[in-house]
């Protein structure tokens, strides 16, 4: 008799990392939102999503090159009561928003900066989402 081998596929279980700071929470929220196509990048697209009332939260880079750019986004967010979170570096924000290439080792390459990013759909609510919401409630 021939012995039959059973092939069992093991799906990797994603272990959710502990969120202890705001940048980690922003990274997690953007990662989940990218999966469901809920991230909007760039001034024009973000302004349209704010006006339409689809923006849930806005991330604005502090080291944005143009001061008028920041002033416009801040005014739109204030007018429509959309929470605004300041991020220190636009290169980090661009990497988190998916504006980079990922090499075979999983390291980001050719990272482009993003001065403003909006989330229109959070996707799966996780620890990062909870941390960000509690941060926004405090401020």
């Amino acid at each position: 008799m021939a012995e039959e081998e059973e092939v069992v596929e093991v799906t990797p279980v994603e272990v959710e990392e502990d969120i202890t700071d705001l940048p980690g929470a922003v990274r997690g929220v953007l990662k989940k939102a990218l999966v469901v196509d809920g991230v909007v990048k760039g001034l024009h697209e973000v302004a349209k999503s704010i006006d339409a009332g689809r923006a849930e939260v806005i991330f604005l880079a502090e080291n944005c090159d143009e001061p008028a750019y920041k002033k416009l986004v801040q005014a739109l967010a204030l007018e429509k009561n959309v929470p605004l979170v300041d991020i220190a570096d636009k290169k980090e924000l661009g990497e988190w928003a998916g504006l980079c290439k990922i090499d075979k080792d999983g390291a980001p390459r050719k990272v482009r900066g993003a001065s403003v990013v909006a989330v229109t759909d959070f996707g799966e609510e996780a620890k990062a989402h909870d941390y960000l919401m509690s941060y926004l409630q405090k401020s």
Side-chain angles (χ1 to χ4, degrees):
M1 277 197 208
E3 293 182 25
E4 294 182 24
E5 293 183 28
E6 288 186 28
V7 178
V8 179
E9 287 188 30
V10 178
T11 56
V13 178
E14 283 191 34
V15 177
E16 196 171 332
E17 59 188 59
D18 285 336
I19 306 300
T20 58
D21 58 349
L22 182 61
V26 172
R27 182 174 47 250
V29 165
L30 287 174
K31 184 177 177 182
K32 298 285 186 188
L34 275 170
V35 172
V36 294
D37 198 29
V39 177
V40 179
K41 303 165 275 250
L43 178 64
H44 187 253
E45 293 295 320
V46 169
K48 286 193 320 187
S49 69
I50 294 171
D51 280 339
R54 291 189 318 261
E56 300 285 335
V57 65
I58 302 167
F59 303 110
L60 180 65
E62 292 176 353
N63 64 346
C64 177
D65 299 330
E66 189 65 39
Y69 191 101
K70 288 177 72 171
K71 193 180 286 187
L72 173 67
V73 173
Q74 289 168 343
L76 283 172
L78 186 63
E79 178 184 331
K80 297 288 183 170
N81 295 324
V82 180
L84 182 69
V85 178
D86 288 326
I87 304 298
D89 186 31
K90 66 181 180 180
K91 289 281 190 184
E92 275 187 340
L93 185 57
E95 179 185 332
W96 298 339
L99 294 176
C100 64
K101 301 284 184 187
I102 306 294
D103 66 5
K104 63 182 177 184
D105 299 327
R109 300 280 183 235
K110 295 185 181 179
V111 179
R112 294 183 53 211
S115 293
V116 65
V117 174
V119 174
T120 58
D121 184 6
F122 286 109
E124 181 183 321
E125 293 184 10
K127 291 180 185 176
H129 177 267
D130 296 339
Y131 185 94
L132 182 65
M133 290 300 123
S134 67
Y135 172 82
L136 293 173
Q137 292 293 327
K138 292 177 189 173
S139 59

